[in-house]
Structures are given as structure tokens and as C-alpha cells.
Amino acid sequence: MPPAISLYVHVPFCRSKCPYCAFYSFPPAVGDIPSFLQALEKEIALLGREGDLPRIRTAYIGGGTPSLLSVPDWRRLIRILERAFTFIPGAEVTVEANPASLTGGHLSLWKDWRVTRVSLGVQSLQDKDLLAAGRAHDRRLALDSMTRISGTDLSLSVDLLFGLPGQHFRGWGETLREILSEGVDHVSIYQLTLEEGTPWGERPPNDLAEGYPFYRWAQYYLEKKGLLQYEIASFARPGRWCRHNVSYWRGGEFIGLGPSAWGYRKYQRTRNIPDLPEYCSMVARGKSPVCYSERLEGDRLASESAILALRTRWGIRLQDLRRDWGDDLPERMAAALKELPRDLFRRSPGRIALSRRGMRVGNSIWERLVP
Ligand code: SF4
């Protein structure tokens, strides 16, 4: 039996558009959500025609804002996924939620289905930051959502943003302290980036906070409180890693469903068309919605695998590198990294990983590994 793989479903709807967001998402017009669900079912049917659908070991329903779907829409989404896929026992299932749309109805439905984790887009617990970032929720809603999730047996993960306009270091410290008192198992922290094609990418706010001290404090504080940094942007209580993301960093295969979703199977990386009407029309005509595809091989695949592994606390096992790519790659890597300060790395017999300091300057390390 082929090994079970991962599944990603992209829900392309948000209540309003945040000024820095480059994901494919938008406020739904009347009829968009039913059209999306119908097209999703069709996309899965098309995949099924290519061969048996694989069993699923981790699923991530992200976006966009999956909690913007009503409970009846969610029931339909669950029916679609359950009819098509077999989830292996103990499968991890994560749903992304936004405090502005999450309800008790969502939580009890997710719990009764097979959801194991909720990833909540809190971003900050300072109203000033939330307003500056154009978020649709405030501190009170974020706290309320965290309390509700913690009251279930679902594992709570929180996303935070730093480097926002006018963001204060002190408020960041308070946000970290407060999320921990709400019982989070997992925290992802992201520095605000100015992406081309977004309002802030075109006209950046002029008082962006310098991100470095925020990141450094999170590394120190979260680890002190028992959340290990297991990837550049991710911290978790031991064993509470997001298995879906770990599989991605280890080069695991995944199916991507929905407009703009990326997938990776048999060394082929694909992307679905980031346009809902076009996505719906393609699948309705029995056409694959993939608009981009590339085969990863040779040096490119080797260096991407090395970079992804180096993002994580487990780093690279040199023995695996040699087994998969021969002796040449570890030697070239060692040569590329030789001139960097030694304290950017943690070395143990047969393994190399980034130190805390190395995690802070990851980008300048990847540059050296790109062929
Ligand atoms: S809620 Fe998330 S996905 Fe939606 S617009 Fe804001 S940042 Fe983008």
C-alpha cells in the first residue's frame, strides 16, 4: 500500500483584505462559497480519475479564512473530504481560524469531525497594532477565541506578527506573556514583509518597527517558557510540532486543492490557478486547474532539500544527504558555509543545524546554498 501523504485545502475567502497580505483571498460575493465547494468536489473527482487517491496522514485547511465558511458550508466541506479520502488513524488535521469569524458552532463541529489543531490568526493582543494592521478583530475577540479553543481538547496554535507600524517592544512582550497564559501549544511568529502587489508593498507605512529585537525576545522568552523553537518561525511544546509543516520541510508529498493551492508529488511542484471563477470553470470543463508546474531535480532539488532541513531544529543529517545525493553535496555545502561564523551552527556528530543566532540570519545562509 502506498504511504499516506499530506493534504492542503485553500479556502480563498476573507472578511476584508489586510493591507500587507499577498495570499489569494478576497471577501466572497453571493454564490462564491457554494461555487467554490462544488468546484472543490469536481477537482477531487478529476484527481480520482488519474488513479487511487492516497491516504491522508496530515491535512491543513488554510487560506484565506476557513472559519468564514458557515457551519452548514463546513458540513458540506467535511462530506466532500470524507467521501474522497481515507484519513489514517491518528491523522493530524489543522484548521486556520480568525477571531472575527470563529464561533462555538465551528469548534463543536470540528471536534466532532477529526480536527486536532486550530491555528488562530491573533497577530497581536494590542488593539493599536491590530488597528494599524487593518485586522478585522480586536484584542477582546482574540482573547475570547483563545479561551474557547483552550476549553476544548483541540490543540491551540497562534500566529503573531512583528515589525508592524508603530509596534512597541513592550506590547510584544505582553502579547507573548498573555498568549501563554491562554494555554497555547504552538506559536508561529512572522515578520511583516512588504510584498509586491499589496497596498503596503506599493506604499509602505513610514513607521515600521525594526523586527530583529522582537524576534530575539521571542526566541529567548518562548524557550524559557517551555516552547522549543523547532523551525525559523515556529515554537511548540515538546511533541506538539505541526506534523503537516514538518512533513513539508522534510520534502514530503502533498496534494493541494482549491484556487492558488500548491502541491508536490513525484518531484513535481504544481500550483492551481489563483482565480476562483477560472478555477471553477476549468474543473467544470473537466480540465486540471494546475497553471504552473515544475519538476525538481538535480542540484536544485538537493539544495532545496538542504535548505528546508536547515530551517528546522533537527537540521541536516549528513548521512541522509550522502545517501540521497552522493558525497559531492555535503562537501560543497561545507565549502559554502565554511566562511560563516561558527556560532551560527550547532554541530553534533553527523548532523548540522542552525543555532539560535543562525535562525536569526537564516536568509543570508540560504543564499550560499542556492546553486
Ligand atoms: S486574514 Fe489572513 S489571509 Fe485574510 S487578508 Fe488578512 S492576512 Fe490575508
Side-chain angles (χ1 to χ4, degrees):
M1 193 180 294
I5 68 170
S6 296
L7 171 70
Y8 173 75
V9 180
H10 187 81
V11 178
F13 307 116
C14 288
R15 178 165 291 177
S16 55
K17 194 71 190 167
C18 303
Y20 52 86
C21 177
F23 293 120
Y24 177 65
S25 69
F26 55 91
V30 176
D32 276 352
I33 293 177
S35 303
F36 162 71
L37 291 170
Q38 193 180 3
L40 197 69
E41 192 164 18
K42 188 77 192 160
E43 186 188 2
I44 298 172
L46 289 174
L47 276 181
R49 285 209 316 231
E50 291 168 14
D52 285 346
L53 290 170
R55 293 168 310 135
I56 301 301
R57 54 185 294 274
T58 72
Y60 199 103
I61 300 168
T65 307
S67 56
L68 203 62
L69 265 52
S70 66
V71 167
D73 289 332
W74 257 99
R75 283 208 186 92
R76 183 164 171 207
L77 174 59
I78 290 169
R79 269 200 308 274
I80 291 170
L81 296 177
E82 284 290 330
R83 263 206 297 261
F85 294 103
T86 302
F87 292 79
I88 63 168
E92 176 193 90
V93 178
T94 304
V95 177
E96 281 186 343
N98 187 305
S101 50
L102 179 69
T103 65
H106 286 117
L107 288 175
S108 57
L109 180 65
W110 292 346
K111 234 162 54 72
D112 289 347
W113 183 41
R114 50 177 77 250
V115 173
T116 54
R117 308 173 72 245
V118 178
S119 172
L120 189 69
V122 169
Q123 316 310 350
S124 172
L125 285 174
Q126 307 295 308
D127 276 333
K128 192 174 68 61
D129 296 341
L130 293 168
L131 205 62
R135 299 292 303 190
H137 68 273
D138 59 11
R139 165 188 164 78
R140 188 189 51 77
L141 272 175
L143 285 169
D144 190 46
S145 297
M146 283 191 283
T147 308
R148 277 201 211 180
I149 299 167
S150 299
T152 67
D153 54 5
L154 296 167
S155 182
L156 169 61
S157 174
V158 159
D159 279 1
L160 298 178
L161 263 180
F162 61 94
L164 289 166
Q167 190 174 16
H168 285 157
F169 185 70
R170 191 171 163 176
W172 175 246
E174 280 167 19
T175 294
L176 290 176
R177 187 175 50 73
E178 283 187 284
I179 57 158
L180 291 191
S181 67
E182 292 294 333
V184 300
D185 289 320
H186 187 284
V187 183
S188 299
I189 59 168
Y190 301 103
Q191 172 150 21
L192 177 75
T193 47
L194 299 173
E195 307 269 0
E196 223 178 287
T198 65
W200 281 5
E202 303 308 315
R203 288 207 296 155
N206 54 16
D207 53 348
L208 293 175
E210 162 58 56
Y212 191 82
F214 288 70
Y215 184 77
R216 200 175 164 163
W217 177 253
Q219 280 187 306
Y220 165 76
Y221 181 76
L222 292 174
E223 292 234 358
K224 191 167 119 176
K225 295 293 179 182
L227 279 83
L228 300 180
Q229 182 168 21
Y230 73 101
E231 190 264 344
I232 297 266
S234 315
F235 299 77
R237 301 202 181 280
R240 294 299 190 131
W241 337 117
C242 174
R243 279 161 42 206
H244 183 87
N245 288 345
V246 170
S247 161
Y248 165 73
W249 295 315
R250 291 185 174 157
E253 295 198 334
F254 59 98
I255 295 175
L257 298 175
S260 89
W262 289 91
Y264 181 61
R265 290 183 79 187
K266 301 186 177 122
Y267 301 107
Q268 201 79 25
R269 181 183 288 155
T270 56
R271 190 186 191 200
N272 281 353
I273 190 153
D275 179 316
L276 180 66
E278 194 52 32
Y279 165 80
C280 293
S281 143
M282 287 170 94
V283 295
R285 283 180 282 129
K287 253 188 93 183
S288 159
V290 168
C291 67
Y292 171 84
S293 145
E294 64 174 340
R295 193 176 161 76
L296 292 185
E297 54 195 351
D299 273 9
R300 168 100 187 281
L301 177 59
S303 75
E304 283 207 15
S305 311
I307 290 172
L308 285 176
L310 213 46
R311 290 184 69 94
T312 70
R313 73 179 284 112
W314 303 284
I316 297 171
R317 220 160 72 117
L318 297 172
Q319 189 188 335
D320 295 348
L321 215 58
R322 285 200 185 92
R323 183 197 59 213
D324 295 342
W325 310 106
D327 286 337
D328 190 35
L329 184 69
E331 273 164 32
R332 271 189 291 132
M333 266 188 54
L337 301 179
K338 207 167 69 196
E339 277 140 40
L340 292 169
R342 289 182 71 80
D343 67 350
L344 296 184
F345 301 98
R346 284 186 292 121
R347 287 169 208 269
S348 51
R351 198 178 278 274
I352 180 165
L354 295 185
S355 65
R356 263 194 209 168
R357 183 160 172 245
M359 294 263 186
R360 295 201 280 274
V361 294
N363 286 344
S364 59
I365 298 175
W366 320 142
E367 281 167 14
R368 292 177 183 252
L369 298 178
V370 176

